[in-house]
Amino acid sequence: MLSFILKRLVQSVVVMLVVALIAFMLFRYVGDPVASMLGQESRIQDHDALRERLGLNDPFYVQFANFISNAVRGEFGISYRLQQPVSELIASRLPATIELAFASALMALVIGVTLGVMSALKPRSIATALVMTLSLVGVSLPTFLIGIGLIYVFAVELQWLPSFGRGAVVDLGWWKTGLLTESGLRSLILPAITLSLFQLTLIMRLVRAEMLEVLRQDYIKFARARGLSARTINFGHALKNTLVPVITITGLQLGSVIAFAIVTETVFQWPGVGSLFVNSVQVVDVPVMAAYLMFIAFVFVVINLIVDILYYVVDPRLRIGRAAQ
Amino acid sequence: MAEIMEKAAATEAATTPVISVRGVTVDFPLRRGNFRAVEDVSFDIMPGEVLGVVGESGAGKSMTGSAIIGLIEPPGRITAGEVLLHGKRIDNLPPDEMQKLRGKRIGMVFQDPLTSLNPLYRIGDQIVETIRRHLPVSEAEARERAIGLLREAGIPSPEDRIDAYPHQFSGGMRQRVVIALALAAEPELIIADEPTSALDVSVQAQIIKVLKRLCEKHGAAVMLITHDMGVIAETADRMIVMNKGRIVETGKVGDIIRRPKEDYTIKLIDAIPSITDPIRVHEKPPAQTPLVEVKNLVRDFDLSGSMFDRLFGRTAKVVHAVDDVSFSIRKGSTYGLVGESGSGKSTCARMMVGLIRPTAGEVLLDGKDIWQAGAFERRRKVQMIFQDPYASLNPRWRVGDIVAEPIKALGLASGRGEVEDRVADLLERVRLDAASMRKFPHEFSGGQRQRIAIARALSSQPEFIVCDEPTSALDVSVQAQVLDLMRRLQDEFGLTYLLISHNLAVVRTMADDVGVLNQGKLVEQGPVDKVFDSPQDEYTRMLLSSVPDISKIV
Amino acid sequence: MSELTQTAKPKGAVARFFDSDVWFSFRRSPVTIVAATVAVSLVLAALLAPWIAPYNPFNPASLNLMDGFTEPLSESMMGNYFVFGSDNQGRDVLSTILYGSRVSLFVAVMATLFAMAIGISLGLSAGYVGGVYDSVVMRIADIQLSFPAILIALLIFGVARGIIPPSQHESMAVWVLIIAIGLANWAQFARTVRGATMVERQKDYVSAARIMGVNPLRILVGHVLPNVLGPVLVIATIGLALAIIEEATLSFLGVGVPPTQPSLGTLIRIGQQFLFSGEWWILFFPAVTLVLLALSVNLLGDWLRDALNPRLR
C-alpha cells in the first residue's frame, strides 16, 4: 500500500513539474514580460533594471528553479492587466469557483449515476429512450447556450432567479461564501445547473455503458443461474462492478468541472477564477494564465491521487496479490 | 398405510425423470429470418443419472441447457414443447418463480471458471449468499456449509480459503468453487456446460472426477454438455448426439461409441482421433537427415515489473518460458510438440519462425541459424499456420490478396497475371474454387478459413511449416478434413512440419516423432509409438492417463 | 470434401454496402435518417452559401443601417424582406447564418482532420512500438484528456496571440483556432487507435506478415490501419460535433474568429447583446442552427457506434 501511494506521489510530482515547465515557458517566452510590465513609455534603463531584478538574465535552470520555488509559495508575479499580485487575485476568486464546482459536481454525480443505472437496467423502456435522447441533446447543447437559455427563461421572462453575479456573500475571514445567504443560494442555482448538465450526461452515459458491459459478463449469468434475486444481482453484483471503472473516469470528470467553469462563469458573470482566466487570455496576461494552469494541474493531480487510492481500496485484484499456485 | 404411501412415493420418485424435455423448439427471430437453434428435442434425465449431450458447434446443445434453466438470451425463446421438472411444467413459470427455482432445484456450471465468479466478492460471500437465498439457515450455518462444500470440492484448508477472492485461485481451483456453488442448495439437477473445456488435460480429469463424485454424493443428476466425446465416454451413463438443433441419436454411451447407428454419428465417431489409433505411414518415408535443428534453446521473460518496483527493492522475477530445449526434425517428417498451457510450446514455435528472439541457443535451418546467417532465407522457407482461423486472416483483405501476400512481400512473382495464376493454383490445392479470391474471410467457415491460411503458408513454397494448434478451434469433423489435407500436402510437396498441440490424439495420428514439454523443459522425446505406448517420464505418463479419450469408456 | 465448392458469387463493393448490417441498421432507424438528412442539408447550405444566400452580409456597400432590427418575416423600412429578420447593422440573419455555418464547419472539419492526423499516427506508432515511447505518449494523452478541451484550446489560443504580432491577429484567427481545437482533441483518437492497435498487433495475421518479413510501416498501414478505422470513424463523427461546439464556445468567449468573418458562435455572441431588449431573433436562429448541426452529427455518431459494434447487433 505504502509503495503504491509513494509511486503515485512521485508520478504526481513529475506531472506537476512538466506542467510547471510549460507554465514557465509561457511566462518567459510568450510576449516580453518586461515590455508588458512597464508599458510603452518606458526607458531602456528601466527595462534593463527590471530584467535584472526579475532575474531574466540568469541561466535557464536558475530561472526555472526560481519559478518553482515561487510557485510552491504561491507567488506568480503581478498581473499585467490588473497590476495586482496574481496570488491575491486567485485567492479572492477561488471560493466562488469552488462553491460552484462543488454544487454542480454533486448534482451531476447523484443524478448521473441514478439515471445511468436505471437506463441500463431497463434498456428497452420508453423512459430510457427518452433519457438517452435527451442526453444526446444535452451533449449537443453548448454550455453557453444552456446558460443563456436558462437566463432568458428564469431570469428575464419569469424573473424567478437572478441572471448574474453571486448575490450577497458572508465573509468568514478566510473564505467568502455565498451559501449562507438566500440571494447567494438563489444565484447559485442557474450556474450550477448549467455547469452540471454536460458532466451529468457524460456520467450517465458512462455508467450506462459500463453497466451494460458488466451485465453481459459470465458472472452475472452465473449469478442468475444460482437463483439470486434480480435485486441482489443488479444492485449487489452488477452495480459494484460497474463502479470500479466509473470511479476513475468520474473522478477526473469532476476535477475538470473546475476548469469547465470558465464558460459558465463568463455567461453568468460569476466572479470566479474561470472568468479571470478568460479575460487574461484575451489580453495575453501571462502571469495569470501560468498561475491558472498550475492551479488546474494541482487540482487534477490531487483528484487523481484520491481516485487511485479509492480504486485500490475497491478492487481486491489490486489490493491482494495472486496466491502462489 | 403411511408406510406404503411413502414407499410408493419413493418408487415413483425413482421412476419419474428429474427433468423431462418434450418437443422443445427454440427460435431466434433475426434480421435475415428466423433462426431455429433447437428443434423438437425430447429426452428425460433420471435421478442420479449422468446424461452426456454431445455435438459440434451450432448443434444446439448449450441452447437446450439454457432452455431447461430458462436462461435463453433474448430475442430467443421457446416456441414449442415443454420442460417438466419432476412432472411439473416449469418453462411457463413467471420469471420470479423461475428465479427461485434456479440454484435451488437446477444448478449450472459454465465453461470458463475465470469469468464465472464475481471478482470483487470473496468466494465465501458468493457461496453464503446462494445458500441463504434458497435455504432457511443463519449466516454462521451457511458459512459452515460453505466450508464443508469447499472441502468436498477438494479445496485445501477451506477454513482459510473461504475468505479469499477469486483471483487468488488457479483456473482448476476456481472451477471447483463453481461446482461447490452450483451444489450449494442441493439441486436435483446440475447442467454442466463444457465444464472442463477451458482447462488443461491434467486439471480436466480432476474436475470431472470432482463433479461426478459430488453429484453422486448429493444425489444430483447431471446433464453434461460438451463437444468432447472423450469426456462423455469417461463420465456419462447415457448420451444424446445433437446436430443442427436436432437429436440424431440417443442411447447408452458404450453402444453409441462402439456401434453408432445413424450416418451422422458414424462419421462423427470416425473423425475423432484417439491415442490408440495406428500411427501414420507416409507415402514416401521421411529422410533421416535433419532439416531443422533446435539447440539449447532458452527464452526468459522478465516479469519484475516497472523500473519503480526495482528501485524499491523488488527482486527481479525471471521466468524461463523455454529452458534449454534441443531437438531435431527430419526432412519431410512431422515433429509433434505437446504440453499443457504455459509449457512453453508456443514460445518455442515463435522462436522457430522468427517472431521472438531466443535468449540463448540456436535454431538451424539447413545448418544456418535463422536468427543469424539464415535470417533472409527463413522468410521464404519457414511459414506458420495459426490456431484461430478468425484472427489469422485480415478481415479487411480479399482472400486473393491474403494468399498472395508472401508472393508479393518476397517478390516471388512479377505481374498481376502471374500472381493471380499462382493464387488460383494454391486455392485449388486446398480445395477451394478460384472465385474465392475475390471474397472476404467472413464469407467462409472456420475450416475453409484454415485452408486459406494453409494456402497462404504454401504460397512462398516453404520447406518448413510450424503449425501451432492448427485444428483446436475447429469441430472434429472439420479437424479431420484439415488434418487429412495437411497430410496430403506434406507428401505432395515434401514439407516438414512442427505440429504443436495440446491434443495428444491429434499428435498421435499426425506425427512421426514427438517431444513432451513441461514447464519449459523437454521431458521426453522419441518416435511417436514409443513415447505413447511406453512412456518413460512421469509427466508423460500422467498426461496420457488423464487425457479423455473415446477408447476409455466407463 | 463437402466444403469443396463455393456457390455464392463474390460481391462488388456497392452490393456489399447495401447488404451490410450498417446500411440495414441505418434504414431501420428513422431518427438516424432524419439526422442524416438534417446534417447533409446544413452542410450543403453552408457550402452553397454564396449562391443561395439572399444577401451578401459582408459587402459593406449593400448594408444599410436603416434595415437594422427588422423582425422575422417582415419588410424593413427600406423595403427589403428578411425571413429570419435582420441584425443591428441591417444584415440579413439568414445570410449571416449561411456564411457563419461555412466558417464554423470549415474550422471544425479542419480541426478534426488535424486532430485525427496527430492522433492516428501517435496512436498507431505507440500501440505497435510499445515500451517507453508508448508510456510517454499515453501519459501525455491521459493528462491532456483530463483537462477540458476548451481550457487547452484557450491556452493554445493565448500562446498564439502572444507569439503572433497583433497586426496579424485577425487574418490568422481561423488557423489559430483550427490548431488550438485540433491540439485539444488529438488525445481521444490516439487513445482509441492505440488500444485497437494493441489488439490487432497481437492477431495472427500480423504475425504471419512479420514472419514473411513485411516491414513494420507496411504492416501498420496495410494491415492494422484498415482494422482500426471503424472506431476512428465513430470518434471522428463525435469529435466533429465537439469541434463545432468548441469553436462556437471560443468564438462566444471572444477568442475565436473576428466579427468581420463571424461563425455561428460569433453570431450568438453578437445576438446575446440584444436578447434582453426584445430582439430575440438575432440570437435565436444562429443558436438553433448550431444546436441542429451539433445534434444531428452527434446522432449520426451515436448510431455509427452502435452499428459498428458487433456485440450489439
Side-chain angles (χ1 to χ4, degrees):
Chain A
M1 179 76 185
L2 196 68
S3 117
F4 173 81
I5 293 179
L6 224 63
K7 189 170 164 178
R8 292 298 182 206
L9 267 178
V10 170
Q11 278 179 358
S12 307
V13 170
V14 171
V15 169
M16 281 311 289
L17 280 177
V18 171
V19 176
L21 184 66
I22 296 171
F24 169 69
M25 305 272 269
L26 252 181
F27 183 73
R28 182 68 188 79
Y29 298 106
V30 173
D32 181 358
V34 176
S36 307
M37 284 182 195
L38 289 178
Q40 276 151 7
E41 292 98 32
S42 53
R43 295 171 306 158
I44 306 276
Q45 294 96 302
D46 292 342
H47 276 231
D48 291 342
L50 188 59
R51 282 194 84 82
E52 196 54 47
R53 196 156 62 80
L54 290 176
L56 294 181
N57 295 329
D58 291 338
F60 178 84
Y61 60 89
V62 175
Q63 289 190 40
F64 184 48
N66 284 335
F67 178 82
I68 290 193
S69 77
N70 284 334
V72 170
R73 282 178 283 125
E75 292 298 326
F76 289 92
I78 293 172
S79 159
Y80 300 162
R81 182 172 61 107
L82 299 166
Q83 299 295 328
Q84 278 181 37
V86 174
S87 49
E88 278 176 29
L89 276 174
I90 289 193
S92 70
R93 285 164 165 260
L94 204 52
T97 297
I98 289 184
E99 284 177 6
L100 173 61
F102 191 74
S104 27
L106 200 67
M107 204 148 78
L109 198 63
V110 172
I111 304 176
V113 172
T114 314
L115 287 180
V117 168
M118 273 170 43
S119 65
L121 291 181
K122 299 212 180 313
R124 278 169 228 283
S125 81
I126 297 173
T128 298
L130 194 72
V131 166
M132 288 310 287
T133 314
L134 278 181
S135 79
L136 257 187
V137 176
V139 179
S140 311
L141 271 174
T143 309
F144 65 92
L145 270 185
I146 297 174
I148 294 174
L150 288 177
I151 290 177
Y152 189 72
V153 175
F154 294 99
V156 178
E157 291 297 323
L158 297 172
Q159 307 213 331
W160 287 354
L161 296 164
S163 68
F164 68 88
R166 223 186 145 196
V169 291
V170 176
D171 195 342
L172 301 178
W174 50 279
W175 188 276
K176 285 200 173 74
T177 179
L179 300 177
L180 296 176
T181 62
E182 197 204 325
S183 76
L185 286 174
R186 278 160 48 93
S187 304
L188 185 61
I189 296 175
L190 291 183
I193 292 176
T194 308
L195 183 53
S196 70
L197 224 50
F198 185 73
Q199 306 294 327
L200 193 157
T201 36
L202 272 185
I203 291 174
M204 189 214 108
R205 293 177 79 86
L206 177 79
V207 169
R208 177 187 137 88
E210 284 296 338
M211 186 124 183
L212 284 174
E213 182 68 38
V214 167
L215 287 173
R216 265 195 291 268
Q217 299 295 316
D218 279 357
Y219 55 78
I220 296 297
K221 204 175 158 199
F222 188 54
R224 287 208 183 96
R226 285 192 275 144
L228 301 184
S229 68
R231 205 188 148 79
T232 313
I233 294 174
N234 291 339
F235 296 104
H237 285 267
L239 188 60
K240 190 167 178 187
N241 287 276
T242 302
L243 289 183
V244 174
V246 165
I247 285 174
T248 330
I249 307 178
T250 308
L252 296 181
Q253 285 299 337
L254 293 183
S256 65
V257 163
I258 290 186
F260 252 110
I262 296 170
V263 180
T264 312
E265 289 183 7
T266 310
V267 175
F268 287 92
Q269 296 169 43
W270 189 264
V273 284
S275 52
L276 175 72
F277 176 66
V278 171
N279 294 331
S280 308
V281 168
Q282 280 163 343
V283 296
V284 201
D285 188 349
V286 175
V288 178
M289 285 164 64
Y292 184 76
L293 182 63
M294 294 289 289
F295 163 67
I296 292 292
F298 183 71
V299 170
F300 159 72
V301 158
V302 169
I303 287 179
N304 216 352
L305 205 63
I306 296 172
V307 162
D308 276 339
I309 293 170
L310 216 56
Y311 206 63
Y312 192 81
V313 171
V314 174
D315 195 334
R317 283 165 294 187
L318 295 176
R319 200 169 60 229
I320 303 164
R322 242 160 248 280
Q325 287 161 12
Chain B
M1 187 66 190
E3 211 172 291
I4 295 171
M5 290 255 301
E6 221 166 71
K7 252 187 192 162
T11 42
E12 202 188 82
T15 48
T16 339
V18 176
I19 208 94
S20 241
V21 177
R22 298 263 156 273
V24 163
T25 297
V26 177
D27 283 324
F28 280 76
L30 292 177
R31 175 191 157 190
R32 290 170 211 264
N34 185 50
F35 171 65
R36 184 153 286 188
V38 175
E39 188 167 6
D40 193 20
V41 163
S42 306
F43 60 87
D44 293 337
I45 305 178
M46 304 308 285
E49 186 185 38
V50 178
L51 176 78
V53 180
V54 77
E56 300 187 296
S57 52
K61 50 192 195 305
S62 284
M63 201 52 70
T64 309
S66 303
I68 292 174
I69 201 167
L71 283 177
I72 299 173
E73 298 279 331
R77 58 193 192 90
I78 300 178
T79 46
E82 49 188 41
V83 180
L84 308 171
L85 178 68
H86 274 304
K88 208 175 140 260
R89 191 160 172 198
I90 58 166
D91 60 295
N92 56 359
L93 286 179
D96 51 328
E97 273 183 52
M98 191 67 206
Q99 190 66 19
K100 280 184 197 144
L101 200 136
R102 280 183 214 123
K104 169 87 180 119
R105 302 190 64 189
I106 308 176
M108 192 146 184
V109 175
F110 290 110
Q111 170 171 356
D112 192 351
L114 300 185
T115 57
S116 291
L117 298 169
N118 190 331
L120 300 187
Y121 288 88
R122 295 168 200 277
I123 58 157
D125 297 343
Q126 300 189 47
I127 304 178
V128 167
E129 74 177 347
T130 314
I131 295 175
R132 296 204 63 195
R133 160 82 171 161
H134 299 297
L135 305 174
V137 294
S138 71
E139 183 84 22
E141 285 170 311
R143 198 179 152 87
E144 266 321 295
R145 260 187 96 98
I147 293 174
L149 275 164
L150 289 175
R151 182 174 296 119
E152 283 176 32
I155 306 274
S157 58
E159 300 83 2
D160 306 326
R161 299 293 274 160
I162 189 168
D163 288 322
Y165 287 95
H167 72 275
Q168 295 172 283
F169 292 86
S170 69
M173 284 296 157
R174 269 192 243 191
Q175 197 65 314
R176 288 168 192 259
V177 174
V178 169
I179 292 172
L181 255 171
L183 282 163
E186 305 277 335
E188 294 135 75
L189 173 73
I190 293 278
I191 300 173
D193 191 353
E194 305 272 8
T196 60
S197 307
L199 303 170
D200 270 326
V201 216
S202 53
V203 184
Q204 214 173 9
Q206 298 164 11
I207 294 297
I208 286 290
K209 268 190 211 129
V210 168
L211 181 69
K212 238 192 132 169
R213 195 186 66 228
L214 281 188
C215 290
E216 243 163 55
K217 185 161 175 256
H218 292 262
V222 181
M223 175 175 170
L224 177 65
I225 300 167
T226 178
H227 67 284
D228 190 338
M229 195 81 94
V231 170
I232 298 234
E234 287 187 9
T235 320
D237 307 312
R238 263 185 334 126
M239 71 187 278
I240 290 173
V241 181
M242 287 188 75
N243 181 35
K244 292 181 183 157
R246 295 181 147 271
I247 291 184
V248 181
E249 198 166 346
T250 314
K252 285 234 162 68
V253 170
D255 292 347
I256 291 191
I257 289 180
R258 292 200 196 93
R259 295 173 295 277
K261 291 193 196 70
E262 301 294 325
D263 284 351
Y264 175 78
T265 321
I266 294 171
K267 264 200 212 148
L268 185 71
I269 301 228
D270 194 43
I272 300 170
S274 163
I275 50 167
T276 55
D277 277 352
I279 62 162
R280 177 168 166 213
V281 183
H282 289 269
E283 279 174 25
K284 221 170 34 188
Q288 285 308 312
T289 51
L291 175 73
V292 181
E293 287 168 280
V294 172
K295 288 185 177 165
N296 308 101
L297 206 56
V298 176
R299 173 69 206 199
D300 296 338
F301 286 111
D302 189 354
L303 297 181
S304 41
S306 64
M307 225 166 65
F308 197 87
D309 287 334
R310 271 177 245 178
L311 266 178
F312 277 78
R314 302 265 169 84
T315 42
K317 248 194 292 181
V318 175
V319 171
H320 307 290
V322 174
D323 195 356
D324 197 19
V325 167
S326 306
F327 57 90
S328 62
I329 310 176
R330 289 174 291 145
K331 198 173 168 63
S333 76
T334 302
Y335 188 92
L337 201 54
V338 300
E340 298 185 289
S341 58
S343 62
K345 54 191 195 307
S346 278
T347 308
C348 226
R350 294 177 99 75
M351 285 192 284
M352 292 173 71
V353 293
L355 284 174
I356 303 181
R357 194 172 278 280
T359 307
E362 45 190 9
V363 180
L364 305 178
L365 178 76
D366 270 337
K368 279 189 223 159
D369 191 341
I370 65 154
W371 285 100
Q372 308 287 335
F376 187 75
E377 263 172 70
R378 183 212 81 216
R379 291 169 50 188
R380 188 185 71 73
K381 288 187 176 168
V382 180
Q383 289 293 334
M384 185 161 178
I385 301 168
F386 302 88
Q387 170 172 2
D388 182 1
Y390 292 83
S392 65
L393 308 177
N394 188 337
R396 306 265 162 194
W397 284 29
R398 286 178 198 273
V399 168
D401 295 323
I402 292 172
V403 176
E405 195 185 13
I407 304 178
K408 287 177 185 158
L410 298 165
L412 300 179
S414 52
R416 230 181 118 181
E418 197 186 332
V419 173
E420 223 165 80
D421 288 348
R422 284 185 65 162
V423 170
D425 177 57
L426 284 161
L427 286 175
E428 201 177 299
R429 296 213 188 241
V430 297
R431 314 288 185 278
L432 287 169
D433 69 358
S436 311
M437 242 191 275
R438 276 175 291 283
K439 293 194 197 172
F440 286 87
H442 70 86
E443 296 173 65
F444 296 87
S445 68
Q448 292 169 327
R449 286 184 207 211
Q450 204 58 309
R451 288 156 197 240
I452 296 170
I454 293 174
R456 171 179 60 191
L458 289 176
S459 76
S460 71
Q461 295 169 315
E463 292 171 17
F464 176 48
I465 301 184
V466 173
C467 315
D468 189 0
E469 304 271 7
T471 58
S472 21
L474 306 176
D475 278 325
V476 265
S477 55
V478 182
Q479 163 171 291
Q481 293 169 11
V482 169
L483 291 179
D484 191 50
L485 177 69
M486 284 172 58
R487 278 190 211 102
R488 271 190 292 128
L489 291 170
Q490 179 167 43
D491 289 336
E492 201 173 329
F493 294 107
L495 296 167
T496 307
Y497 287 149
L498 173 70
L499 175 67
I500 303 220
S501 184
H502 69 281
N503 188 330
L504 296 173
V506 165
V507 171
R508 163 114 192 173
T509 57
M510 286 292 290
D512 303 288
D513 303 291
V514 63
V516 183
L517 269 179
N518 181 25
Q519 294 179 353
K521 289 200 169 68
L522 199 62
V523 293
E524 180 162 9
Q525 65 170 325
V528 131
D529 46 351
K530 207 173 133 252
V531 172
F532 274 72
D533 300 339
S534 52
Q536 298 303 306
D537 185 79
E538 178 96 30
Y539 178 75
T540 317
R541 277 201 289 270
M542 188 278 292
L543 265 191
L544 283 166
S545 70
S546 48
V547 62
D549 199 89
I550 49 166
S551 62
K552 300 180 179 173
I553 301 169
V554 276
Chain C
M1 289 280 121
S2 60
E3 298 188 67
L4 204 140
T5 45
Q6 302 293 318
T7 44
K9 280 264 179 307
K11 294 181 190 124
V14 178
R16 283 198 316 124
F17 175 74
F18 283 108
D19 194 46
S20 69
D21 293 315
V22 174
W23 176 245
F24 177 78
S25 82
F26 182 77
R27 276 191 324 169
R28 279 278 299 272
S29 160
V31 177
T32 310
I33 296 176
V34 172
T37 317
V38 171
V40 169
S41 329
L42 286 174
V43 170
L44 274 182
L47 282 178
L48 301 175
W51 295 279
I52 61 170
Y55 301 92
N56 181 353
F58 305 111
N59 180 3
S62 70
L63 288 184
N64 192 326
L65 283 178
M66 299 294 280
D67 279 335
F69 298 124
T70 312
E71 286 193 25
L73 297 175
S74 65
E75 266 184 24
S76 71
M77 285 182 276
M78 303 295 295
N80 288 318
Y81 185 77
F82 298 110
V83 185
F84 286 173
S86 71
D87 67 4
N88 55 331
Q89 297 178 42
R91 295 188 291 202
D92 174 33
V93 170
L94 174 62
S95 304
T96 55
I97 288 175
L98 288 172
Y99 279 91
S101 323
R102 225 168 128 86
V103 177
S104 288
L105 273 171
F106 178 74
V107 171
V109 169
M110 292 301 282
T112 306
L113 287 178
F114 183 51
M116 220 162 118
I118 304 177
I120 290 179
S121 34
L122 284 180
L124 268 183
S125 52
Y128 195 80
V129 176
V132 178
Y133 173 69
D134 175 45
S135 329
V136 171
V137 171
M138 281 309 119
R139 199 71 201 151
I140 296 174
D142 279 348
I143 294 173
Q144 190 173 333
L145 273 176
S146 46
F147 292 98
I150 282 292
L151 173 66
I152 310 258
L154 270 172
L155 267 177
I156 296 168
F157 192 88
V159 172
R161 278 222 154 177
I163 296 169
I164 298 169
S167 60
Q168 285 174 27
H169 276 177
E170 288 219 342
S171 56
M172 299 288 283
V174 166
W175 295 104
V176 170
L177 207 52
I178 287 170
I179 290 173
I181 296 175
L183 282 180
N185 289 342
W186 68 274
Q188 193 64 48
F189 287 97
R191 196 141 88 167
T192 308
V193 170
R194 181 246 187 189
T197 304
M198 306 243 317
V199 173
E200 295 300 321
R201 186 185 65 167
Q202 300 296 327
K203 291 203 176 152
D204 292 333
Y205 68 84
V206 171
S207 299
R210 282 173 58 203
I211 290 170
M212 57 190 93
V214 179
N215 81 52
L217 195 67
R218 248 179 99 169
I219 291 180
L220 272 185
V221 175
H223 279 294
V224 180
L225 188 59
N227 285 293
V228 303
L229 280 184
V232 166
L233 200 62
V234 174
I235 296 184
T237 317
I238 293 166
L240 181 66
L242 263 180
I244 292 171
I245 292 173
E246 281 160 15
E247 183 279 324
T249 306
L250 288 173
S251 296
F252 174 79
L253 292 176
V255 295
V257 292
T260 48
Q261 197 190 358
S263 69
L264 291 174
T266 324
L267 293 177
I268 294 169
R269 180 184 170 84
I270 297 168
Q272 195 200 7
Q273 304 160 20
F274 307 108
L275 181 64
F276 306 122
S277 51
E279 286 89 15
W280 54 271
W281 60 91
I282 305 177
L283 176 129
F284 181 75
F285 291 110
V288 168
T289 313
L290 177 67
V291 173
L292 274 182
L293 196 58
L295 181 60
S296 59
V297 174
N298 258 332
L299 280 169
L300 284 176
D302 211 47
W303 156 77
L304 207 55
R305 175 171 39 209
D306 291 349
L308 293 180
N309 186 349
R311 250 205 321 244
L312 295 179
R313 260 185 229 142

